[in-house]
Amino acid sequence: MEKITEKLLLNKGSPKTNKLEQIKTLNLSKMGLKLQDLPVKLLSRLQSLERWDLSGNRLQEFPKNLELRSLRYLDLSDNQMEDVTTLESLSALEELKMDDNFYITVSDNYKLMVLLPNLRMYNSRDVTTTANHLRYVYRDNLMTRIIALWEKSFSLPDPVTAEKMSSLEKDFVSAACHQVKFGPSSVSDFTKWRVKILAEEYLCSLTKPKEDCGSQECAEVKKNLDVSTPSKRKQTAAAIDTSISLMPRKKSRSDVTVSPAEISPRKSSLRPKPETEAQIQIGPLKIARARSAHTKTQTSRWSLKVDQTKEEKTGVEQRDDLNTRRNAHMLPTAKTQQPVRLKPLHVLQCHSKQDSPEDFSTQLWACAFQPFPDSSGSGGESRLVATCGGDSVCVIDCETGMVMKKYKVQGEEFFSLAWSTVLMSRGGNAPAQPCSILAAGGKRGLVKLIHPRNNVAYGEFRASRKSLSVLRFNHQQENFLFTGSYDNKIIMWDIGGVDSSYNFKVVQLLVLISPTPLHICLPPASPGTHLLAACEDCLLCYSTQLGTKSTSNSRSKLMEITFPIYKKEDKEHDYHTIDGLSFLTDDIVASKNHMHSSIYLWSWSRTRCQRPGRTSGSVCAVILAELQWADTDIPYLALNACLGRNYVVCGDDKGRIWTYHVPNVQKNGSQTGKPILPTEVLEWPSPMKNGVRQMDGPSINTVSMDPELRYLAALSDKNMVVIWKREELS
């Protein structure tokens, strides 16, 4: 056996260099190495090491306290490993091979998945779902039993002394290891090992609550999950009605009383209902059939006959009038993206009840563009937009205006949807294939999982016993789904992938305690660490980082983010409802406060770095600019931003769409001048049926843009989807 020296490491490593600190790959396989042959002090200098092959040696354990923060891959196959806990210091490890280690048991495999928080591949298999289950779900079940044992049989000594605590710890940990049972007997060794650690942590948290979350407090949170959060806002008559107090959506403050049987969560708060079909009498138009495996549908398509003279005049007058004032709020640059010009292309009526062209009461709630081409590689897929409202989810080709897929669930009312890409295994040795999926949810509290390419709704799971208000995928960990619901919870799920028979597994990872969430945003640069929740009463920030030492998978807010407009509140004006939220860049956030006729642009990093107030737990958003918007008291008109394209878009209650091209928002201080005026206000295109009757502009509930800003989709409260297309300049 050759002695491990600096010269040998330089010879066995790559890239070729004269410094250990620059080595990224190291092969020490088949050298007959034992533990004592690995010099920790020398190996600790390999701080750039990413891949290390130690296979074919005689190692019984790994060197303790050897921290290699860049190590992502380790091959320990064909060794004599017995103690896997010595690998705990390799916190960044993502892939580990332990094949042909005779003494490694199933319990050892489980220990590794807990000890290594980033482990994804183990012995060439994806263990993400199993690992997350062990790290969070299994742990939470054990902690529940440990807390119950403590409350039943133990208590802190009075007074607390080191001697008494030492004796108590010994008795409590021993009792927990013997009495706490969970999981199959084949992993009893793993369970006892985990219970011992958790019992010690819990006892420590009772005596040092400032260093860790007290489990008793977390238990109280669990007991009170279903208790509604006290509102900071003046409640309306509708909100005071106990039959609808937990479902505050869409009802005007002065609206008439509606029978509880007719109320849905999205229609029961602050907005008036749209006009009934009796008030709007328009004949049927050209019918387009949507291709669907679920139902034969008909889609009413409206003709567009826009007054070009008026449109051109309005656009010219707006641009001439706004240029000087708008530029005063923006830093000059030599090279900047130019504003785009959008023209209306299609108006569709594809969510009608019973496919009736006379349905103008179904409200449409959410739309999202497919973020990437499907596995086919077809570039045309990027122009697909999914929409939901009523009992259906539609996938529309923006160029042709055709409804490509439609999925209906009788008795459902869909409120939100989200796209993601998961892996589909194909069996045998064939590699897994990525496929685009849709998640949709609403009144029933169920999440429907849909594979649009194959026109298959392949599964569902219950996310809440109340209605779902919002869904959001983590765009980096694409199998992680957040669901927000009317029971004041945001839950993080791991939906995993699917196999060729569409079998899948869902694991609950985290519960965030929140007022009714309206929008969920994840920071584009760090979606795995923080979450912003725009709620009925506030804007909250949460930590979503997994693997913390919290004694429960339920968490409260890190802080509340407040806005300057709060200071102007009175009995008639409540600005705490955040009904619009979107990231414009990695750092700039656009948000809208109900009843405030401006949209705030503020800095996420500068706001987050502030220290929350001791009593309020709040910080004030660092405002960069304000965008002038419509003067209306209609809530829940959601804005959207095109990430990286410097565009913010928001509809109003008259069918108009306000667009803002803001490439140079100041970052060195808050704006003190007047709000930035819109780049262009797109008027309602006034669609017609039979060339006779025009529709007045409805409220635009939400808007969405594709990543390339070629199409814009707008959804209204009168069952209309409007598609706008970028006009190419010659």
Side-chain angles (χ1 to χ4, degrees), residues 604-625:
W604 160 240
S605 61
R606 292 167 62 187
T607 301
R608 185 186 62 185
C609 70
Q610 299 177 77
R611 178 175 295 179
R614 290 185 178 181
T615 56
S616 64
S618 65
V619 299
C620 187
V622 178
I623 306 299
L624 304 176

Side-chain angles (χ1 to χ4, degrees), residues 12 179 364 388 421 447 459 477 508 593 635 688 707:
K12 295 279 188 178
Q179 297 182 36
L364 310 183
C388 73
T421 302
V447 174
Q477 190 75 35
Q508 179 179 307
N593 302 66
M688 304 173 66

Side-chain angles (χ1 to χ4, degrees), residues 318-368:
Q318 285 177 341
R319 285 190 292 275
D320 291 343
D321 183 54
L322 303 183
N323 276 340
T324 302
R325 294 172 62 186
R326 183 173 64 248
N327 291 337
H329 298 277
M330 298 165 66
L331 296 176
T333 60
K335 295 181 180 181
T336 183
Q337 296 175 355
Q338 295 300 313
V340 301
R341 184 168 178 81
L342 297 164
K343 63 178 181 179
L345 189 61
H346 305 290
V347 178
L348 306 176
Q349 206 175 346
C350 53
H351 292 269
S352 301
K353 298 174 183 177
Q354 300 178 346
D355 300 324
S356 170
E358 302 302 322
D359 176 11
F360 300 106
S361 62
T362 296
Q363 297 207 46
L364 310 183
W365 295 113
C367 59

Side-chain angles (χ1 to χ4, degrees), residues 153-213:
S153 307
F154 294 90
S155 62
L156 290 175
D158 187 15
V160 175
T161 64
E163 183 179 354
K164 291 181 179 180
M165 285 302 300
S166 177
S167 177
L168 175 63
E169 179 179 0
K170 181 179 179 180
D171 293 341
F172 175 55
V173 172
S174 176
C177 290
H178 284 87
Q179 297 182 36
V180 173
K181 307 293 183 183
F182 186 70
S185 58
S186 59
V187 293
S188 58
D189 179 60
F190 165 76
T191 302
K192 287 183 179 180
W193 170 81
R194 195 74 175 113
V195 166
K196 181 178 183 295
I197 296 173
L198 295 176
E200 291 172 348
E201 287 181 0
Y202 177 66
L203 189 58
C204 180
S205 72
L206 296 179
T207 56
K208 300 178 181 179
K210 292 183 179 180
E211 296 181 11
D212 200 358
C213 172

Side-chain angles (χ1 to χ4, degrees), residues 534-591:
C535 305
E536 287 277 3
D537 300 320
C538 51
L539 176 60
L540 301 178
C541 173
Y542 295 88
S543 168
T544 58
Q545 193 161 7
L546 299 174
T548 63
K549 293 183 179 179
S550 171
T551 55
S552 171
N553 69 340
S554 297
R555 298 184 189 176
S556 299
K557 66 180 181 181
L558 281 180
M559 60 185 177
E560 177 183 349
I561 299 171
T562 64
F563 296 92
I565 191 64
Y566 288 2
K567 298 177 182 179
K568 298 182 180 181
E569 287 187 341
D570 54 34
K571 293 182 179 180
E572 301 297 326
H573 299 85
D574 181 358
Y575 300 107
H576 272 69
T577 297
I578 312 299
D579 57 355
L581 185 70
S582 184
F583 272 87
L584 177 62
T585 69
D586 285 354
D587 184 57
I588 300 176
V589 186
S591 65

Side-chain angles (χ1 to χ4, degrees), residues 399-419:
E399 185 63 31
T400 64
M402 293 296 295
V403 179
M404 308 304 293
K405 315 287 182 183
K406 186 169 183 178
Y407 176 68
K408 298 187 72 170
V409 178
Q410 188 174 2
E412 179 65 279
E413 186 173 3
F414 287 106
F415 296 149
S416 187
L417 53 76
W419 286 94

Side-chain angles (χ1 to χ4, degrees), residues 1-14 16 20 23 26-29 31 33 37-39 42-43 52:
M1 184 207 69
E2 194 172 355
K3 184 178 179 181
I4 302 299
T5 63
E6 181 175 353
K7 181 179 179 181
L8 182 138
L9 294 177
L10 292 172
N11 184 49
K12 295 279 188 178
S14 65
K16 294 304 178 182
L20 292 180
I23 292 178
L26 182 61
N27 187 347
L28 298 181
S29 63
M31 295 180 61
L33 298 174
D37 300 322
L38 297 178
L42 183 63
L43 294 171
W52 191 3

